[in-house]
Amino acid sequence: GENVEQHPSTLSVQEGDSAVIKCTYSDSASNYFPWYKQELGKGPQLIIDIRSNVGEKKDQRIAVTLNKTAKHFSLHITETQPEDSAVYFCASHSGGGADGLTFGKGTHLIIQP
Amino acid sequence: EAGVTQFPSHSVIEKGQTVTLRCDPISGHDNLYWYRRVMGKEIKFLLHFVKESKQDESGMPNNRFLAERTGGTYSTLKVQPAELEDSGVYFCASKIYSGNTIYFGEGSWLTVV
């Protein structure tokens, strides 16, 4: 089955700097890659997603890049703000096999004031 | 519009007891998913309903877990009898039939003592 690796597990950056979180996946049939943000005591909230026919997608300060050949995708947050502090999860959805998303283990992003 | 709602938000039960978690998906969402995150690990897929039918239950850990979605609206996830390793957060999520975005609830935090 699909396996998603996510790094780093914890990331601390100064407010205003950029943050990058990286994920790799194993199933070449995977075709959909969402990123979720989970704040304390809340459920995961979709912040951006990308399909396998696109290499990059941007939404204001957030961007996601996908390299299908290398089977990795990354989340980029620019001009970080205190409210960006949360746990971020990458996920993949395989075109075949199980219907559900396969998640990475999460990255705890800490924005230092 | 109401999001995915889950009940109870927190539950503490003794080993051997039974707990039933409830999920109300977003109105009109045929797809309903259950996921679980145990301490320090990734969010893992449990099962997927399309309306009242189980589409994929490959993630269900064992036969102590029973999920139902009678009538294709809300769903319940029963754990009977609960074991210590069942402690974690149980997330419900839903998706419209033709869409990609999966919306998560805030989770039901289960502690088995």
Side-chain angles (χ1 to χ4, degrees), chain B residues 9-48:
Chain B
S9 57
H10 293 81
S11 182
V12 180
I13 62 170
E14 293 184 350
K15 176 183 172 180
Q17 289 187 321
T18 298
V19 64
T20 301
L21 311 177
R22 171 172 170 145
C23 168
D24 287 77
I26 294 172
S27 177
H29 284 198
D30 288 338
N31 291 275
L32 186 149
Y33 305 82
W34 283 98
Y35 287 83
R36 174 174 79 165
R37 187 182 189 205
V38 296
M39 185 64 70
K41 301 213 170 179
E42 64 269 33
I43 301 169
K44 282 207 166 181
F45 167 79
L46 297 179
L47 89 160
H48 171 209

Side-chain angles (χ1 to χ4, degrees), chain B:
Chain B
E1 181 182 340
V4 177
T5 56
Q6 295 187 241
F7 183 83
S9 57
H10 293 81
S11 182
V12 180
I13 62 170
E14 293 184 350
K15 176 183 172 180
Q17 289 187 321
T18 298
V19 64
T20 301
L21 311 177
R22 171 172 170 145
C23 168
D24 287 77
I26 294 172
S27 177
H29 284 198
D30 288 338
N31 291 275
L32 186 149
Y33 305 82
W34 283 98
Y35 287 83
R36 174 174 79 165
R37 187 182 189 205
V38 296
M39 185 64 70
K41 301 213 170 179
E42 64 269 33
I43 301 169
K44 282 207 166 181
F45 167 79
L46 297 179
L47 89 160
H48 171 209
F49 284 99
V50 176
K51 296 185 179 178
E52 68 274 11
S53 299
K54 288 179 186 174
Q55 191 76 9
D56 181 353
E57 52 184 331
S58 62
M60 293 288 264
N62 52 61
N63 59 10
R64 295 185 294 103
F65 290 76
L66 175 65
E68 294 179 320
R69 193 184 182 194
T70 306
T73 54
Y74 71 91
S75 174
T76 58
L77 179 64
K78 181 191 287 188
V79 185
Q80 179 183 31
E83 298 290 344
L84 299 178
E85 63 265 24
D86 300 333
S87 296
V89 187
Y90 290 78
F91 291 108
C92 177
S94 72
K95 178 174 82 77
I96 200 166
Y97 184 76
S98 57
N100 288 320
T101 305
I102 298 175
Y103 297 89
F104 281 77
E106 297 201 340
S108 288
W109 300 67
L110 174 64
T111 303
V112 182
V113 297

Side-chain angles (χ1 to χ4, degrees), chain A residues 20-25 33 35 48-52 54-59 62-68 71-77 90:
Chain A
V20 181
I21 302 170
K22 298 182 179 182
C23 289
T24 60
Y25 61 98
F33 307 91
W35 284 89
I48 196 167
D49 57 11
I50 192 167
R51 294 197 65 85
S52 59
V54 176
E56 184 174 359
K57 184 177 178 180
K58 190 173 182 180
D59 182 4
I62 295 172
V64 57
T65 59
L66 171 65
N67 184 327
K68 282 175 58 180
K71 292 199 277 233
H72 67 70
F73 56 114
S74 301
L75 177 71
H76 305 252
I77 305 174
C90 64

